[in-house]
Amino acid sequence: MFQREKGPIFAAVLAAGKGTRMRSNRAKVLHTICGVPMVNYVIAALAPLAPQRTLVVVGHQADEVDAVLPPKVESVLQREQNGTGDAVRVALEALEDEDEGILLVVNGDGPLISDRTLAELVERHRSAGVGATVLVAEVDDATGLGRVMEDAGVVRIVEEKDATEEEKRVRLVNLGLYAFNISEIRHALGLVGTGNAQGELYLTDALEIIGRKSRAVTYRVKDLQEANLVNDRSHLALAEEIVRRRILDAHMRAGVTVRDPVSTHIEATVEIGRDTVILPGTFLRGGTRIGSDCVIGPSTDLLDTLVGDGALVEHSVGRGAEIGTGATVGPYAYLRPGAVLGEVTKVGAYCELKNTKIGAGSKVPHLSYIGDAEIGKGTNLGAGTITANYDGKDKHHTRIGDGVFTGINTNLIAPVEIGDNAYLGAGSVINKNIPPGKLAVGMPARVIRDAPRKPKDGEKDERRRAGTEE
Ligand code: UD1
Ligand code: CA
C-alpha cells in the first residue's frame, strides 16, 4: 500500500466490440473522424507516454481493424466479446511475464481524449499510490454510461442496466480509461463474475475489488470536451465537429487562412503551407498536400491531391491528381487519378483530365476530356478538344508535343501523336500522326451508309410492355 508504482507503462486499447448502437455493418472503432479511424485517435494520444507495449484488443472485424493499426502496436484477438473485463484479460495474457508497472486501459471509443489527460491520469495514479485510478467526468446527460460512486478508497461503478433509480441519478460517469497496477488487475480479474444484466465480465467490477484491497481513486477530466464518447452516430458527428475544429485551428495557427471554418472540412492527414487561403465549402482529404500562397476553393474537393505553391483551384474536384506550382484550375474542372499539371498550366471550365501529363505553360481552358495523354510545353488545346482514348475495348494513348495549337472541337482518335508546333484546324478529326510544324485540317463528315434503324413507335410500345426496353 502507498507504494509509488514507478515501473513501465503498458497500454491496452479495447477495440473488439461491435458497437451495436452504431447500427452499422462496420465495427465501431473503424468509423472515421476527419478521415481517420476512431481507434487511431486513442493510439495517437497514448504515443507521447511511450508505453513499453501497446496492445489493441480486436475481435469484431479483427482483420479490418488490424489493417488500420500503426505498425508499432500489437493486436491481440478476443475471440468472443464477453465484456470489457474479458478484453483486458486477453491483453494481460499477452503480457504474461509482466508483473510490475502500470496497465493503462483505454476504451477504443473515446477519440477526443488528449495525451495530457492520459499523462495526468498516470501521474495521479502514481502519486496516490493506489491499485487503480479511473478517469471520470460529471456530465449533464449520463445516459448509457457507468455511474461512479466513490467512498473511502473504494470506487464502485454501476452500469446503467444494473443501476437502481437512485444510482441512475448520479451524474459522475466512467469514461472507460484506467490506470491499474498490473499485478492488481491480474489478480482482481480472476475474481470477477458475470452476474449482471448483460452476463458479461465487467472491467468495472475489478475496480471495486482492487479498491477494497489496495485502494482506488477517481481522476476528473479537466476538459469536458474529452468526455465525448462515441456510442452512436450522433455522438460520431459531435466528435467530428470537435476534431474538425481542432484541425482547422492548428492550420490557422500555422499560417493558413480559413475564411469560413463552419463549411471547411480538412482531414487530419492533410498538409497545407503558410499564407494559403482556404475558401468556403472546401473539402481536403486523404493524402492531400497543398503548398504555400495557394487559393483553394470555394467549393473544392481534393482527395489525395498534391498542389504546388501559388496554385489557384476553384470550384473543382481532384482525385489523386498533381497540380503544379502557379497552375490555375477551374472553375468546374475534374482532375482524376494520374492528372499531372506542370508549372503555370491552366485547366479551365468543364474539363476532365485522367492519366494525363501537361507540360509547363500548357492550357486546356474549356470543355475538354483528355485521357491517357501526354502534352508538351506551351501547348494550347482549343475549346472542346477531346481525346477519343477508348475504342470500346481498349484504352489508347495520345501524345501531343510542345507548342501545339488545336482548334475548337478537335477530336484526337488514339493512339495518335501530334508533333511539336503542329496546328490543327477547328473541328478536325485526327486519326493519323501529324508531323511537327504542319497544319492539318478536316476529315469532314461524309455519307457512308444508312443510319442505324430506329424502332417505329408501335414497336417501342411493344418492347416497353415486354419489359425489354433499356
Ligand atoms: C463501458 C463501461 C462503462 C463506461 C463506458 C464508457 C464496462 C462494464 N462499462 O461501457 O462503465 O461508462 O464504457 O464508454 O466496462 N470491448 C471489447 N471487448 C468486449 C466488450 C467491449 O473490446 O468484450 C471494447 C469496445 O470495443 C469498446 C470498449 O471496450 O471500445 C467499451 O465497450 P462498450 O460496449 O462500448 O462499453 P459500454 O457498455 O459503453
Ligand atoms: Ca456495451
Side-chain angles (χ1 to χ4, degrees), residues 26 28-42 64-65 68-69 108 111:
R26 235 191 310 160
K28 178 161 74 177
V29 295
L30 284 176
H31 283 263
T32 57
I33 293 172
C34 296
V36 173
M38 214 185 314
V39 64
N40 291 95
Y41 284 89
V42 293
E64 288 86 345
V65 176
V68 305
L69 299 178

Side-chain angles (χ1 to χ4, degrees), residues 245-259 261:
R245 184 65 207 217
R246 282 185 188 170
I247 292 170
L248 291 172
D249 284 338
H251 285 297
M252 291 188 259
R253 279 197 299 274
V256 176
T257 294
V258 178
R259 284 272 171 243

Side-chain angles (χ1 to χ4, degrees), residues 72-95:
K72 273 192 183 157
V73 307
E74 307 162 52
S75 63
V76 287
L77 184 66
Q78 183 193 21
R79 280 178 206 285
E80 280 175 58
Q81 283 71 66
N82 293 328
T84 47
D86 185 62
V88 171
R89 186 191 55 74
V90 171
L92 283 169
E93 266 171 25
L95 296 170

Side-chain angles (χ1 to χ4, degrees), residues 19-21 28 83-84 144 159 161 198 200 202 231:
T20 311
R21 284 166 283 175
K28 178 161 74 177
T84 47
E159 294 308 297
K161 286 178 180 147
Q198 303 187 81
E200 290 183 354
Y202 286 171
N231 279 313

